[in-house]
Amino acid sequence: MKVLVIGGGGREHALAWKLKQSEGVEQVFVAPGNAGTARDVQLTNLPITDKVALREWVQANGIGLTVVGPEAPLAAGVVDEFRAHGLAIFGPTQKAAQLESSKAFSKAFMQRHGIPTAEYQAFTDPVQAHAYVDAKGAPIVVKADGLAAGKGVVVAMSPAEAHEAIDFMLLDNTLGVAHNEGGARVVIEEFLEGEEASFIVLCDGVNALALATSQDHKRLLDADQGPNTGGMGAYSPAPVVTPAVHQRAMDEVILPTLRGMAADGIPYTGFLYAGLMITPDGRVKTLEFNCRMGDPETQPIMMRLKSNLAQVLLSATRAELDRVTLDWDPRVALGVVLAAAGYPLNPRKGDPITGLPADEVDRMVFHAGTADANGQVAVSGGRVLCVTALADTVAAAQKRAYSVVNGIQFDGMQCRRDIGFRAL
């Protein structure tokens, strides 16, 4: 079987890396891919991003399964395009992807179906938004209602920060709301205390199958300081997700979401990522939904997965996830993101990268924002690489990953030095 992975980031590199190991898979294409997937002789980059052109290429080349990595193609309706022509594709439809592409849709859905989440209101009028902050005070959370590559959230610790975020998102609209009609909108919600975890499942419209637990690090700097990013590192498993918390997440968040989407006439298929806040007393609240695997959580999760990923995802396209069990490496996987100079607001591109090691089965450098520049791997995006390692403990995995990090160089390279600290 031939498989296509749509996307060009670290998540897609990790998915393609795991899919190529699946028995029965003869070739894996990545569209458009990056310099890391280009370096792998078992992967083939495909310079196509248009959904109709991709669908036509899949039909012409006998692709048996397509897996969608990032959010933008989902919000643009690539799954609808493929399904209209009877092609096997794993991901949610355009309407279902509103769980991520519109924070306002997602919050209203959760409220309607009794899924625990933070109190909120949505605003298009900055005057009303500012008045709401004045009434509620801080800390408070301001979110852009649209796709913002993981950077559209400001956890404002003071009213002044919240007011600045409102102006940035509504008046400047610098982030751009690509997939929602009616211009810029913000969701303002209560600040929740606790520890965050990433709870990612596979869905086939009826059934949900949980992946290994994981936890990412959103802030740019050590000790969770600095601005929010798309993620500066992650590890799996996440000790904060105890068996009891896992059960609550399934019973109170995931299964009600599947039932609610079906009841609303929008059956949900694909990866579903619930960003959870776990309160000190073990309660679970939903911070957000993503309609794809997290990045950088995918990298450690894929390193731990021992099952045949292609067969698992094919089963999901046939609504047969209730027949599937997943096999996991008991070891810890930990990934450290290396980011470009100026990330997250103004990442610099073009810096050459040196010191990249050869791939190993239990130690990988997954590429995200990289491109080939005259035979030299160079920076092409904000989050550039994710150095991921397997070991028996969090401390050992951390040590292995940072030993590789220390050998990689590019000008202005940023990385946190404490990935995994919550589990140590």
Side-chain angles (χ1 to χ4, degrees):
M1 182 174 65
K2 298 176 188 173
V3 177
L4 170 66
V5 175
I6 295 177
R11 164 185 45 234
E12 291 76 47
H13 189 182
L15 287 169
W17 174 80
K18 181 54 64 174
L19 283 163
K20 77 177 185 182
Q21 299 168 29
S22 299
E23 187 179 349
V25 170
E26 59 184 282
Q27 200 167 5
V28 178
F29 297 89
V30 192
N34 56 43
T37 52
R39 291 174 77 199
D40 190 324
V41 295
Q42 294 176 282
L43 303 176
T44 305
N45 283 359
L46 183 69
I48 304 175
T49 53
D50 176 76
K51 66 184 180 183
V52 175
L54 279 169
R55 186 261 301 164
E56 291 172 345
W57 184 88
V58 161
Q59 288 177 305
N61 288 275
I63 304 300
L65 172 68
T66 299
V67 182
V68 189
E71 58 272 30
L74 296 170
V78 70
V79 170
D80 308 68
E81 174 68 29
F82 276 53
R83 284 197 187 157
H85 293 83
L87 298 169
I89 184 167
F90 186 67
T93 61
Q94 187 175 35
K95 281 188 174 180
Q98 289 179 99
L99 274 179
E100 175 172 11
S101 65
S102 171
K103 295 284 190 292
F105 172 92
S106 173
K107 295 293 285 191
F109 171 84
M110 286 189 269
Q111 194 171 57
R112 192 165 63 249
H113 291 286
I115 295 161
T117 189
E119 177 191 347
Y120 82 102
Q121 282 202 37
F123 300 93
T124 54
D125 182 344
V127 174
Q128 293 178 357
H130 287 304
Y132 186 77
V133 168
D134 288 336
K136 292 292 184 181
I140 198 163
V141 181
V142 184
K143 297 180 176 180
D145 179 35
L147 298 178
K151 297 184 288 291
V153 177
V154 173
V155 180
M157 301 311 290
S158 68
E161 275 186 85
H163 291 309
E164 183 183 14
I166 289 165
D167 289 342
F168 176 65
M169 294 176 190
L170 284 183
L171 298 178
D172 303 339
N173 196 18
T174 309
L175 295 170
V177 180
H179 301 291
N180 301 320
E181 297 173 3
R185 178 164 53 178
V186 294
V187 168
I188 304 178
E189 60 184 43
E190 69 172 314
F191 173 79
L192 298 174
E193 293 274 8
E195 193 170 342
E196 289 187 44
S198 308
F199 199 88
I200 307 173
V201 300
L202 310 175
C203 301
D204 65 9
V206 178
N207 307 291
L209 182 64
L211 297 178
T213 61
S214 59
Q215 187 170 45
D216 79 336
H217 299 61
K218 285 291 186 194
R219 300 281 190 162
L220 180 68
L221 305 174
D222 285 9
D224 290 336
Q225 300 298 304
N228 261 341
T229 71
M232 292 301 292
Y235 60 95
S236 172
V240 69
V241 184
T242 63
V245 167
H246 192 285
Q247 195 62 51
R248 294 191 85 155
M250 290 297 291
D251 293 344
E252 298 175 18
V253 178
I254 300 299
L255 295 176
T257 298
L258 270 184
R259 289 193 293 265
M261 292 294 279
D264 290 352
I266 318 171
Y268 191 92
T269 58
F271 296 110
L272 180 64
Y273 169 125
L276 302 179
M277 181 65 80
I278 299 158
T279 63
D281 60 358
R283 290 181 299 119
V284 169
K285 286 202 174 186
T286 313
L287 296 170
E288 65 175 353
F289 284 120
N290 291 330
C291 293
R292 31 117 192 154
M293 286 198 74
D295 187 345
E297 296 96 331
T298 305
Q299 292 88 318
I301 289 172
M302 286 298 108
M303 287 209 79
R304 292 189 60 219
L305 181 64
K306 296 173 78 173
S307 303
N308 183 317
L309 181 60
Q311 288 304 318
V312 169
L313 298 185
L314 265 181
S315 296
T317 66
R318 299 166 180 160
E320 295 173 354
L321 276 180
D322 54 330
R323 305 180 193 177
V324 175
T325 55
L326 297 176
D327 186 20
W328 298 99
D329 192 313
R331 291 177 292 173
V332 173
L334 184 143
V336 179
V337 168
L338 309 186
Y343 180 77
L345 289 179
N346 299 294
R348 188 173 73 208
K349 300 179 181 180
D351 291 309
I353 303 167
T354 59
L356 291 168
D359 295 346
E360 294 183 18
V361 69
D362 58 357
R363 192 201 68 193
M364 277 289 299
V365 178
F366 293 109
H367 289 233
T370 65
D372 185 278
N374 302 315
Q376 167 81 57
V377 178
V379 173
S380 68
R383 288 182 297 161
V384 181
L385 303 165
C386 183
V387 178
T388 312
L390 273 169
D392 290 332
T393 65
V394 174
Q398 188 186 63
K399 185 177 180 181
R400 285 199 77 201
Y402 281 108
S403 70
V404 177
V405 168
N406 293 337
I408 298 173
Q409 292 180 317
F410 56 88
D411 285 349
M413 184 177 97
Q414 303 184 79
C415 76
R416 283 182 56 161
R417 288 281 165 184
D418 64 348
I419 301 302
F421 78 95
R422 289 186 181 277
L424 287 171

